[in-house]
Amino acid sequence: MKIDFNIKEILTLPTTIMAALSLASGILLFSPTALIVRMYMLGFREKYGFIIGIVFIVSMSILIVNLLYKTFTSISNAKSKKNFYATAEIRLQKLNDYQKAIIYALYQQNNRTLPLPLHDGAVLELEQNMMVGKATSQYFVSDLNNASFPYLLQPWVVDEINNKTNLLSDFRRAFELQYDEDFNKEKVGVDYL
């Protein structure tokens, strides 16, 4: 009987399998002889006791390390999430007026979705900061140089704006300034024609 195994495969077994291996090998190693005799495993334990001991030590070690890693990761993720929401208002206030106007324009929509310029740095920065996101992965664009893509406002931004009246008024002011600036650009362009 030849058993071929790869160490990498053993190390990447799921935690539940490692727990089962630890439990089974632990029962075989540490159970009283009377119980082992009743399970008809005494000869097996005497013949393969060394291998069972190695399996127990390795599986228990990997199990403990995996549990510690998963615990640390979940605690770290919880702290990051808590910090993310705790600093939400500060991050929203640090946006420039153009970005605030974009967010307010999205906020005004019933479905919180608008086509925004795909190659606009302000939009990309908002997407990088997880304030907006693409509403779809594929979208037909007629002009690749001036592509627009549907973006949606992230729910946590909506919650912050709804819960903080100072943010709402600040974003509305930025939107009105941007609207006035765009209107004046169009007016100046018409005057020069």
Side-chain angles (χ1 to χ4, degrees):
M1 178 170 116
K2 183 179 180 200
I3 298 175
D4 191 25
F5 63 90
N6 187 351
I7 302 266
K8 183 182 176 189
E9 290 176 5
I10 291 173
L11 295 175
T12 58
L13 284 173
T15 306
T16 53
I17 302 293
M18 282 298 167
L21 280 173
S22 298
L23 182 64
S25 58
I27 288 171
L28 281 174
L29 283 176
F30 302 117
S31 291
T33 306
L35 182 62
I36 295 297
V37 168
R38 281 190 175 180
M39 292 191 299
Y40 302 101
M41 301 290 286
L42 186 61
F44 181 79
R45 183 168 84 173
E46 288 174 355
K47 186 175 182 181
Y48 298 107
F50 179 73
I51 294 172
I52 297 169
I54 290 174
V55 168
F56 177 75
I57 291 171
V58 170
S59 62
M60 191 60 118
S61 300
I62 293 172
L63 177 65
I64 290 170
V65 169
N66 280 344
L67 290 175
L68 288 174
Y69 175 76
K70 288 183 179 184
T71 302
F72 176 75
T73 303
S74 65
I75 290 170
S76 177
N77 288 343
K79 277 185 171 182
S80 296
K81 188 175 182 179
K82 183 178 178 183
N83 186 41
F84 180 82
Y85 289 117
T87 61
E89 183 177 5
I90 296 167
R91 284 181 285 121
L92 287 170
Q93 287 175 342
K94 286 184 178 179
L95 297 175
N96 62 38
D97 284 342
Y98 179 60
Q99 291 170 324
K100 289 178 182 178
I102 291 171
I103 287 179
Y104 189 75
L106 286 164
Y107 178 76
Q108 285 181 310
Q109 302 301 312
N110 288 335
N111 62 359
R112 310 282 193 240
T113 306
L114 274 177
L116 297 174
L118 187 62
H119 305 293
D120 189 338
V123 174
L124 293 175
E125 187 177 336
L126 289 172
E127 184 178 14
Q128 183 70 30
N129 290 329
M130 295 180 286
M131 295 176 185
V132 299
K134 290 185 177 84
T136 183
S137 59
Q138 296 179 351
Y139 189 70
F140 179 74
V141 181
S142 59
D143 182 8
L144 291 177
N145 293 325
N146 296 316
S148 290
F149 209 81
Y151 280 86
L152 60 92
L153 191 58
Q154 294 293 343
W156 70 266
V157 178
V158 175
D159 290 342
E160 284 295 315
I161 292 173
N162 285 338
N163 295 333
K164 312 275 176 27
T165 55
N166 60 331
L167 274 178
L168 181 60
S169 60
D170 187 32
F171 279 51
R172 182 183 297 122
R173 181 197 54 78
F175 177 79
E176 290 167 354
L177 286 173
Q178 190 66 38
Y179 181 80
D180 290 343
E181 184 178 312
D182 288 346
F183 180 74
N184 288 335
K185 280 183 184 176
E186 289 176 15
K187 188 177 177 185
V188 168
V190 169
D191 289 341
Y192 283 114
L193 290 176

